Amino acid sequence: MRHLEKQKDDFIGIVSHELKNPLTSIKAFSQLLENYLDQNKDEKGTFYLSKMAVQIERLTELMASFTDVYQIQNGKLALKKKSFKLDELIANTVVDFHYATKSHTIEHSVPNDLIVFADKERISSVLVNLISNAIKYSPMSKKVLVSATVDDDQVTITVQDFGFGISKVERIRIFERFFRVRSKKEKNIPGLGLGLYISHEIITQHKGKIWVDSIEGQGSTFNVQLPRSKKEKVL
Ligand code: ADP
């Protein structure tokens, strides 16, 4: 079993590495093509290219997930920590979703000047994962709430949706690699079951905690707790 798992991880690592160059090249040429079509006022071409760009972005995200999994499995998920304003990161992420998502409104409530010492890129990817899941798994509702609170020892970020919710049995396995809930509701929603696994690893590496509270049929709240060091408290 362990041997097979290792083979699977190595395969993921090799594939993501080998696909990186062609993907970068496709991206670069599509940007050149975009300029070219723009100059020639080719509206139909620009429209088709915009469709391609969405899929290229999706492929890029998939490759990034594979690379993360490979790094985690090989104990190489290095963090690049620095001080940054978490309130600004959350606000910017919410604005990005606002432009990209028509189905939901995302409300956020975060104290100002909330400085944390963490890997900004990685915390950003955790936020994006939790908000996109909140949207993906609540097609029947319109609202997602993002908030952050702070006390002496920690910062807590929550992402709440009013969607499918997650049963008790599934909640135990939700952060496992490749785990996906397989009921009728989720069947047509795309995903690999890697996002929460990667998020869990990132938060654990920060010596933080991630967990979910949920009532089936009513929604889920994902919580992320990051410890505050002495350094941040004086900032
Ligand atoms: P993916 O969304 O690509 O399947 P994730 O690791 O992000 O992978 O999530 C794992 C599984 O957890 C999902 O397939 C889904 O079944 C469940 N899940 C995650 N977030 C939510 C949520 N907000 N509400 C309900 N189910 C969720």
Side-chain angles (χ1 to χ4, degrees):
M1 200 53 188
R2 216 173 289 150
H3 180 65
L4 283 177
E5 288 273 308
K6 169 100 177 72
Q7 278 190 327
K8 194 159 78 180
D9 291 335
D10 286 350
F11 179 71
I12 288 176
I14 293 164
V15 168
S16 53
H17 185 76
E18 290 303 318
L19 288 184
K20 218 174 240 169
N21 286 342
L23 191 57
T24 308
S25 168
I26 290 171
K27 231 178 179 173
F29 279 116
S30 76
Q31 272 155 13
L32 288 177
L33 187 58
E34 189 185 352
N35 293 343
Y36 175 81
L37 293 174
D38 211 33
Q39 276 163 16
N40 289 288
K41 306 211 179 328
D42 185 337
E43 279 179 21
K44 212 169 194 175
T46 307
F47 172 73
Y48 291 141
L49 192 63
S50 71
K51 295 277 173 203
M52 264 176 70
V54 173
Q55 299 307 324
I56 292 173
E57 202 42 52
R58 170 122 184 82
L59 254 182
T60 310
E61 281 166 16
L62 282 176
M63 300 315 302
S65 295
F66 288 155
T67 309
D68 285 347
V69 169
Y70 185 68
Q71 287 180 353
I72 292 167
Q73 292 301 312
N74 289 280
K76 286 187 206 145
L77 189 87
L79 299 180
K80 293 187 196 121
K81 287 190 181 183
K82 62 178 182 188
S83 293
F84 66 92
K85 286 188 178 175
L86 184 65
D87 50 316
E88 282 184 6
L89 178 71
I90 293 178
N92 292 338
T93 311
V94 168
V95 169
D96 289 348
F97 271 101
H98 175 74
Y99 285 118
T101 314
K102 295 205 169 54
S103 58
H104 290 68
T105 48
I106 300 151
E107 294 171 18
H108 71 289
S109 124
V110 183
N112 285 337
D113 296 326
L114 185 51
I115 293 173
V116 293
F117 184 70
D119 187 323
K120 189 176 176 184
E121 293 301 316
R122 299 270 183 207
I123 297 296
S124 164
S125 73
V126 172
L127 261 177
V128 169
N129 175 228
L130 296 183
I131 299 175
S132 28
N133 279 352
I135 294 170
K136 250 173 32 174
Y137 299 107
S138 68
M140 67 298 223
S141 94
K142 290 203 166 355
K143 203 164 53 176
V144 172
L145 306 177
V146 182
S147 71
T149 52
V150 61
D151 65 31
D152 262 6
D153 300 320
Q154 58 221 0
V155 173
T156 309
I157 307 166
T158 61
V159 178
Q160 182 177 14
D161 68 63
F162 303 88
F164 299 150
I166 307 162
S167 74
K168 199 172 172 192
V169 182
E170 282 146 352
R171 284 205 296 272
I172 299 168
R173 303 196 52 198
I174 209 90
F175 297 102
E176 284 176 19
R177 191 165 44 135
F178 296 119
F179 181 80
R180 305 201 72 216
V181 176
R182 303 214 176 271
S183 76
K184 259 198 216 134
K185 288 173 290 174
E186 281 95 354
K187 217 175 73 189
N188 297 321
I189 300 177
L192 286 176
L194 290 178
L196 286 180
Y197 166 74
I198 295 168
S199 294
H200 183 269
E201 286 298 319
I202 291 171
I203 299 305
T204 310
Q205 284 245 7
H206 280 83
K207 298 194 171 43
K209 277 191 223 151
I210 180 168
W211 73 98
V212 61
D213 301 314
S214 180
I215 300 177
E216 245 189 307
Q218 291 189 27
S220 312
T221 303
F222 280 85
N223 309 275
V224 172
Q225 216 163 54
L226 290 171
R228 296 185 84 211
S229 62
K230 281 197 191 99
K231 201 170 157 194
E232 293 157 271
K233 289 179 202 167
V234 292
L235 284 169

